[in-house]
């Protein structure tokens, strides 16, 4: 593979830093979509003979990292915490001090890591290479070990083949790159009108993303009414439903992670308040057989801080046809609808940052929908 001068320099600097015991514990590699961050990570891995812990903040991001690098990645939580159920509530014990400090931690999607998690990663004693996109949304929670300091290495060259994608060309403009006429055709489209006119588009999409929880709830209801016109109003979970998991659950292998999508094959409500007895498949793991598990359905998409009466096998879920951009950060899907509900209007930089994060969730095709006022 032919590397650019900028990539060569980045790899050299990372390897020098990783091998020098006197160098700082943290190095930050930042670059927009299409600048070759994954290529650099692969090259670094080959040079360091795999003495690396590969991590990402969410399960879906870890799965993407595994697929793109060919390495076995896991979530940060899975690497440095151990979960125990105490009085029906998960408690996390720090186990990061048991890691081999001679290993390097490579953390992808680093813009999602908050200050608390960053402090715990430092407490492992390992060197940490944060890899991310400095124009993505900041993490939920205070502080960011990646965004709060200038990058040590900044990739600015968007590869030509990446700019051939209308989606990445538009994303580059949103973050202040060279402006050109965006080809609103083919893999990048936009529509303005009313949702009732877009039933075919909703069925086409792999996922719908939006800004506000109110929009998410409304669009999930609308999608269900289109897909299950006879049953949706009186059957909360139907065969064929797509649910999204809301809390990491290590009772299953591979762990069912926060943000993972599940496809229901059968469902039965156990008792008046549940839980539901579900049988479902996991699209992220197509070779795995269907799983039977108890599940709670949280209509508002939020898991209460204390939820008594559930076993450690119980999943916490909500409908997964439409999710917020924040929830889907770190994930991608081939065909994405972005319902632009005006989220983050105000400062232009905040608005562009949100739009940029949303636009780059689509790996193949993107349709942006805005309703008439």
């Amino acid at each position: 593979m032919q590397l650019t001068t900028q990539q060569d320099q980045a790899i050299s600097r990372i390897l020098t830093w990783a091998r020098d015991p006197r160098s700082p514990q943290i190095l930050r590699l930042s670059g927009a979509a299409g600048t070759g961050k994954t290529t650099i990570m692969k090259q670094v891995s080959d040079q360091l003979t795999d003495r690396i812990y590969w991590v990402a903040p969410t399960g879906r991001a870890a799965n993407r990292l595994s697929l793109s690098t060919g390495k076995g990645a896991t979530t940060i939580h899975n690497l440095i915490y151990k979960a125990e159920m105490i009085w029906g509530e998960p408690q996390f014990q720090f186990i990061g001090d048991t890691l081999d400090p001679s290993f390097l931690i490579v953390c992808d999607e680093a813009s999602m890591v908050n200050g608390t998690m960053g402090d715990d990663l430092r407490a492992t004693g390992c060197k940490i290479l944060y890899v991310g996109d400095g124009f993505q949304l900041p993490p939920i929670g205070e502080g960011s070990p990646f965004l709060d300091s200038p990058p040590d290495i900044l990739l600015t060259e968007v590869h030509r083949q990446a700019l051939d994608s209308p989606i990445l060309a538009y994303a580059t403009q949103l973050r202040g790159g060279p402006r050109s006429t965006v080809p609103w055709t083919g893999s990048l489209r936009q529509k303005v009108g009313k949702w009732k006119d877009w039933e075919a588009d909703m069925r086409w999409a792999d996922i719908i993303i939006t800004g506000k929880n109110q929009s998410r709830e409304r669009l999930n209801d609308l999608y269900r009414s289109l897909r299950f016109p006879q049953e949706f109003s009186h059957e909360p979970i139907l065969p064929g439903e797509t649910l999204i998991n809301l809390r990491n659950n290590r009772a299953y292998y591979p762990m069912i992670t926060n943000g993972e999508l599940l496809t229901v094959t059968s469902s039965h409500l156990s008792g008046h308040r549940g839980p539901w007895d579900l049988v479902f498949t996991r699209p992220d793991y197509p070779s795995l057989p269907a799983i039977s598990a108890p599940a709670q359905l949280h209509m508002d998409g939020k898991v209460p801080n204390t939820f008594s009466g559930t076993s450690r096998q119980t999943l916490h879920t909500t409908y997964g046809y439409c999710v917020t951009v924040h929830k889907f950060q770190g994930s991608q899907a081939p065909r994405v609808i972005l319902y632009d509900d005006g989220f983050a209007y105000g400062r232009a930089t905040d608005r562009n940052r949100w739009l940029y994060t949303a636009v780059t969730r689509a790996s193949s095709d993107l349709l942006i929908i805005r309703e008439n006022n």
Side-chain angles (χ1 to χ4, degrees):
M1 176 180 292
Q2 185 67 38
L3 300 175
T4 67
T5 300
Q6 196 173 70
Q7 287 176 322
D8 261 329
Q9 291 172 346
I11 294 166
S12 176
R13 183 167 179 189
I14 292 168
L15 293 174
T16 299
W17 161 80
R19 291 166 172 159
D20 183 357
R22 299 165 299 176
S23 62
Q25 185 180 9
I26 293 173
L27 193 75
R28 299 168 182 85
L29 169 65
S30 181
T35 54
K37 298 188 295 294
T38 300
T39 299
I40 290 172
M41 286 191 286
K42 288 180 179 178
Q43 294 289 323
V44 168
S45 174
D46 291 342
Q47 294 291 324
L48 295 180
T49 61
D50 285 336
R51 292 183 64 80
I52 296 174
Y53 298 116
W54 296 89
V55 297
T58 68
R60 290 182 68 87
N63 289 340
R64 280 185 59 212
L65 181 59
S66 294
L67 291 172
S68 63
T69 63
K71 309 300 178 182
T74 187
T75 64
I76 296 173
H77 268 90
N78 208 32
L79 181 69
I80 65 173
Y81 304 118
K82 178 182 178 181
E84 296 180 351
M85 296 297 290
I86 300 177
W87 299 103
E89 203 175 339
Q91 302 290 329
F92 294 98
Q93 174 188 354
F94 178 72
I95 58 170
D97 51 2
T98 65
L99 301 181
D100 185 339
S102 68
F103 274 48
L104 170 66
I105 294 176
V106 176
C107 178
D108 196 23
E109 297 291 347
S111 63
M112 300 173 66
V113 179
N114 64 28
T116 299
M117 193 173 290
D119 290 343
D120 286 348
L121 281 172
R122 291 192 67 171
T124 64
C126 298
K127 286 192 171 183
I128 305 162
L129 174 62
Y130 283 120
V131 181
D133 186 338
F135 205 67
Q136 297 264 6
L137 292 173
I140 297 173
E142 292 186 2
S144 167
F146 179 69
L147 296 175
D148 290 348
S149 299
D152 301 291
I153 303 171
L154 178 62
L155 303 176
T156 58
E157 298 175 3
V158 179
H159 294 175
R160 183 179 180 85
Q161 61 267 34
L163 285 176
D164 288 341
S165 160
I167 295 171
L168 290 184
Y170 180 43
T172 301
Q173 287 191 21
L174 287 171
R175 62 176 293 143
R179 300 197 67 82
S180 59
T181 301
V182 175
W184 292 100
T185 182
S187 61
L188 177 64
R189 298 176 292 142
Q190 62 178 340
K191 293 185 178 182
V192 178
K194 292 294 183 183
W195 264 111
K196 63 182 178 62
D197 301 324
W198 300 323
E199 179 176 344
D201 293 317
M202 295 183 76
R203 295 178 183 275
W204 160 87
D206 296 305
I207 193 78
I208 303 168
I209 58 177
T210 191
K212 302 172 184 175
N213 267 309
Q214 182 180 6
S215 301
R216 179 194 60 79
E217 292 183 34
R218 180 166 70 95
L219 293 177
N220 273 317
D221 285 345
L222 177 59
Y223 191 98
R224 294 189 74 242
S225 72
L226 295 174
R227 186 168 182 180
F228 309 105
Q230 304 300 321
E231 308 98 330
F232 94 100
S233 61
H234 58 274
E235 291 290 343
I237 302 181
L238 292 158
E241 296 267 25
T242 296
L243 302 179
I244 186 168
N245 185 47
L246 299 174
R247 178 181 285 174
N248 289 340
N249 192 312
R250 293 179 176 81
Y252 304 90
Y253 184 83
M255 176 177 68
I256 300 178
T257 56
N258 182 0
E260 184 176 342
L261 297 176
L262 313 171
T263 302
V264 177
T265 57
S266 69
S267 60
H268 172 73
L269 184 62
S270 178
H272 178 66
R273 297 185 59 189
W276 287 83
D277 295 322
L278 298 185
V279 178
F280 58 89
T281 57
R282 303 172 66 179
D284 286 346
Y285 301 94
S287 62
L288 291 181
I291 295 175
S292 177
Q296 294 288 350
L297 180 67
H298 303 284
M299 304 295 284
D300 62 357
K302 300 176 182 177
V303 182
N305 289 332
T306 55
F307 201 91
S308 59
T310 60
S311 69
R312 65 186 295 267
Q313 287 81 20
T314 301
L315 301 175
H316 295 273
T317 66
T318 192
Y319 299 119
Y321 307 107
C322 178
V323 300
T324 62
V325 173
H326 252 118
K327 190 71 172 178
F328 207 59
Q329 190 172 353
S331 304
Q332 279 190 314
R335 296 172 300 194
V336 174
I337 287 178
L338 167 60
Y339 173 61
D340 186 358
D341 56 4
F343 188 82
Y345 274 124
R347 292 197 326 170
T349 52
D350 292 341
R351 169 69 177 165
N352 283 353
R353 185 185 292 269
W354 179 81
L355 263 180
Y356 172 83
T357 304
V359 165
T360 52
R361 297 313 92 207
S363 60
S364 178
D365 295 275
L366 175 67
L367 170 61
I368 300 176
I369 289 179
R370 299 178 175 95
E371 287 196 71
N372 286 329
N373 292 330

